[in-house]
Amino acid sequence: MLVLVTYDVNTESSNGKKRLRHVAKKCVDYGQRVQNSVFECSVMPDQYVKLKNDLKNIIDLERDSLRFYLLGKNWENRVETLGKDESYNPDKDVFIL
Amino acid sequence: MLVLVTYDVNTESSNGKKRLRHVAKKCVDYGQRVQNSVFECSVMPDQYVKLKNDLKNIIDLERDSLRFYLLGKNWENRVETLGKDESYNPDKDVFIL
């Protein structure tokens, strides 16, 4: 299923900047960055639970905001873009590395 | 239906900063800001078409990125949050002004 992760991390302190880097790094493990603070993560339900738990342990619950939008399996019809779009479709696009 | 609007506007130039303000201002007309560059908009299909069109006329299509996630009518089960959350439920919460 596709889960959209969006975040606002309060970077007023150096700790905040560190949290921001950690959140981004963790999200990279699960999906693709489509905007500065927006990740599309293609995950199984157990991976989603782990992702949430990992992120919960990184953020400051009083200062930072994390939102998860569950787009399900048939997510392709739920996403539209305008302007710059360098994202790929994890279910379809093929990469030769 | 609930439509999530996320954006990255390139603010390297003063024009970019102006576009960013315009995008945010336009989104405010349609929904609530839940994070810095994330809006949840409760719209009818025709309003959604207008919103997209309005935003298309504001952004620089080569530099800025707009993404729309259609969460549908039964969106409540699709949204989870962690940390700071000052959003309201447009379908349920009552405000006395």
Side-chain angles (χ1 to χ4, degrees):
Chain A
M1 63 177 184
L2 196 79
V3 176
L4 188 76
V5 183
T6 69
Y7 54 83
D8 258 358
V9 174
N10 185 318
T11 57
E12 280 167 8
S13 68
S14 59
N15 264 346
K17 291 187 182 80
K18 202 172 165 184
R19 292 197 305 277
L20 181 67
R21 283 195 301 274
H22 280 193
V23 167
K25 204 175 164 191
K26 182 54 67 182
C27 289
V28 166
D29 290 344
Y30 290 86
Q32 67 170 324
R33 187 174 224 155
V34 292
Q35 285 177 348
N36 199 31
S37 301
V38 180
F39 279 80
E40 288 178 2
C41 301
S42 184
V43 289
M44 301 298 286
D46 58 330
Q47 290 177 305
Y48 174 51
V49 172
K50 189 173 180 330
L51 170 62
K52 268 197 303 188
N53 200 46
D54 288 352
L55 291 175
K56 191 178 175 182
N57 290 330
I58 294 171
I59 65 165
D60 180 327
L61 291 166
E62 288 187 7
R63 289 190 175 82
D64 307 331
S65 157
L66 268 172
R67 300 181 79 84
F68 304 90
Y69 297 92
L70 285 67
L71 300 175
K73 281 183 185 171
N74 302 314
W75 56 269
E76 287 172 57
N77 299 329
R78 294 186 179 278
V79 185
E80 296 189 46
T81 64
L82 271 181
K84 218 172 89 173
D85 178 14
E86 288 158 2
S87 65
Y88 60 86
N89 180 335
D91 295 344
K92 281 193 181 161
D93 296 344
V94 175
F95 295 91
I96 298 172
L97 298 174
Chain B
M1 63 179 186
L2 196 79
V3 176
L4 188 75
V5 183
T6 69
Y7 54 83
D8 258 358
V9 173
N10 185 317
T11 56
E12 280 167 7
S13 67
S14 59
N15 263 347
K17 292 186 182 82
K18 200 173 167 185
R19 293 197 305 276
L20 181 66
R21 284 196 300 275
H22 280 192
V23 168
K25 203 174 165 192
K26 182 54 65 181
C27 289
V28 166
D29 290 344
Y30 290 86
Q32 66 170 325
R33 186 174 223 156
V34 292
Q35 286 178 347
N36 199 30
S37 301
V38 180
F39 279 80
E40 288 179 1
C41 301
S42 184
V43 287
M44 301 299 286
D46 59 329
Q47 290 176 307
Y48 174 51
V49 172
K50 188 172 181 330
L51 169 63
K52 268 198 301 187
N53 200 46
D54 287 352
L55 291 174
K56 191 177 176 183
N57 289 331
I58 294 171
I59 66 166
D60 180 327
L61 291 166
E62 288 186 9
R63 288 189 176 83
D64 307 332
S65 157
L66 268 172
R67 300 182 79 84
F68 304 89
Y69 297 92
L70 285 66
L71 300 175
K73 282 183 184 171
N74 303 312
W75 57 269
E76 286 172 57
N77 299 328
R78 295 186 179 275
V79 185
E80 296 190 46
T81 64
L82 271 180
K84 219 172 90 175
D85 179 12
E86 289 160 0
S87 65
Y88 60 86
N89 180 335
D91 294 344
K92 280 192 181 161
D93 297 344
V94 175
F95 296 90
I96 299 171
L97 299 175

